[in-house]
Amino acid sequence: MNRPLVGTLATVVLGAAALVGTAGTAGAASKPGTDAPHTFRATTPISAPAQHGVHTKAVDFAGTVALSNCSGSIVKLPTSKDTDPAIVMTNGHCLESGMPGAGEVIVDQPNSRSFTVLDANAGDLGTVKATKVVYATMTDTDVTLYETGSTYADIQQKYGIKPLEVDTAHPTQGHKITVVSGYWKQTYSCSIDGFVPQLKEGDWTWKDSVRYTTDCKTIGGTSGSPVVDDETGKVTAINNTVNEDGEKCTLNNPCEVDGNGEVTVHKGTPYGQETYGIPKCFTAGNKLDLNASGCELPKPSGVRR
């Protein structure tokens, strides 16, 4: 993750990004009362395997939300029903109470955060409000899952919006992806470049992270954006970090650690955290069960199989 951008600093960084060709809108820089993690820098694209004969789905903003400091999405799991309380997914480091520490896992905490629901063209439709933080951590992955006071059916009836589906299959190298930022109302297109056994940044370590090509020139506020596989139209990861300065394993400068323990640094390269394992940790009614078969999300102290 990257430093929060506050006030005039956000405007300065966004303006600089515009000069080097990163995506954004002039109006977004003056968005009041927000601070946006992630100041992604533009870099030379990495080549990825081409997809021949693949029909891609049009990716828009329907199902995404804007947070006060990040991006997110309304997501549905394979066991979810229309009558279940809707889940909003974003990064662990977007948690409004502060970033969870290494090894910290937060479950079942009351919450009243509001999320702005967007239509397909990124227009503001209204809000949904959380009732609790179902799960949040920055250990092994970087995710916060909020339960809202609205069902999927409520949201569709009120706003005409369906949730995004979380894919249960591992992401595929070479697939084209779209990072959809509700915060900036901007999309970024690139491809999955590969996978990282361990991604280390400051005190945190993430496992089997997604590395994508740097033609996704994302900017501040894209934290928590759903990473959508263009072929399936499903969420395959959550956008979360980039190596900003070429430093090794420091805050805002993640490093890659391979299976042999060798550390490498790729300045300007963005990363996301896989989401295919999350559905295994939920049962009927969108209920979290960290002891469910196949669930590998970290547990808080005191929770055991």
Side-chain angles (χ1 to χ4, degrees), residues 283-302:
T283 59
N286 279 353
K287 299 299 183 183
L288 178 71
D289 182 0
L290 295 175
N291 291 318
S293 176
C295 177
E296 296 184 356
L297 286 176
K299 300 173 177 61
S301 58

Side-chain angles (χ1 to χ4, degrees), residues 12-30:
V12 170
V13 173
L14 183 63
L19 289 175
V20 295
T22 55
T25 59
S30 59

